[in-house]
Amino acid sequence: MSFSKEIKDLLAGFERYLEDGILTTDKNISKYRKRVEFFIKWCETKEIEQVKYLEMMEYIRYCRSLDMNPKNINRYLRAVRHFFDYENKEEHRYLNPIQDYNPAKGMQIRDIYHTIRADYLDEEELEKLYENYKGKHKILLGLFIYQGLKVGEIERLEKIHFDLKKGTVYIPKTGKGNSRKLKLESVQLYELMEYILKLEVDSLLGKPLQNQAQRLCKELREINPKVRNSSHLRGSRISYWVRNYNLRVAQYLAGHNTIAGTEKYRQVNLEDLQNQVNQFHPLS
């Protein structure tokens, strides 16, 4: 990173500050400096001259967009917190013009929130995938985007698990997923009915299905380039459930063993981040 002489001198002073007792190893000091350099570069890119609460929240959101997990974000926040303590101690006024104010004080992301991606497909995009897909994996696609199933769960499905009159499918329990009964969408029923009536074996689609899932997603990318893999399709459905139902309902539909597994699908925006950060800011 290329910085002005003023910033380089400031960073050198920050390193000396750490050496004076905050940190004891060169390795840790080097990591703290790199994390602060990362923060300063972000501030310069955003043309931020004074960092306060809202700027710190925006920074956290930026870190989230890079797929940093909570523990890593907390490491970056800790380095920034030490940097502002250093500015206060030495009375530097580069990013913190308010004496004895540390905008990163007390900021910590709760570990129960895991990394999520912000590019899940919305409901309209999922429906367009199903409508426009003309390949031979239509049933597999429907189970991904409407029931949010994993490949392993679909491999276990048999004819007896479907009640086409009631329009439901029973998902057996797996090692990492709970059993549940899910509604089938009307657009799936005709395809399923026609397919199951001709099926001569118990297994719905057989196994392994991973190669079929990969081929399906490759075909889907011709319809929507945003599609990554079957987990992305499942995540898109779970994200929709989390936005439209309470977490316990979404947990049941997704088959998660714990509520924390469902919480990670919350879409990250500034309002969500405020609920995820434990802190007290006397000047915010």
Side-chain angles (χ1 to χ4, degrees), residues 42-80:
W42 176 80
C43 289
E44 290 186 344
T45 301
K46 293 285 186 177
E47 298 182 349
I48 294 172
E49 296 181 356
Q50 179 179 349
V51 177
K52 294 191 292 185
Y53 170 75
L54 289 179
E55 285 74 24
M56 287 304 305
M57 296 299 289
E58 183 69 22
Y59 177 66
I60 293 173
R61 183 165 59 175
Y62 173 69
C63 290
R64 282 287 201 182
S65 74
L66 300 178
D67 280 350
M68 286 191 194
N69 62 45
K71 288 185 179 179
N72 204 24
I73 293 176
N74 286 335
R75 293 187 187 103
Y76 277 71
L77 290 174
R78 191 177 304 119
V80 171

Side-chain angles (χ1 to χ4, degrees), residues 199-238:
L199 200 58
E200 296 180 353
V201 295
D202 291 331
S203 178
L204 181 71
L205 295 174
K207 59 182 179 181
L209 288 176
Q210 192 61 52
N211 288 340
Q212 291 185 44
Q214 290 174 356
R215 285 194 292 271
L216 168 62
C217 291
K218 183 177 180 180
E219 293 168 349
L220 293 176
R221 281 191 285 274
E222 297 179 4
I223 302 172
N224 188 334
K226 288 170 62 177
V227 174
R228 295 197 307 275
N229 50 40
S230 60
S231 295
H232 181 227
L233 297 176
R234 167 175 161 80
S236 297
R237 174 52 57 188
I238 296 174

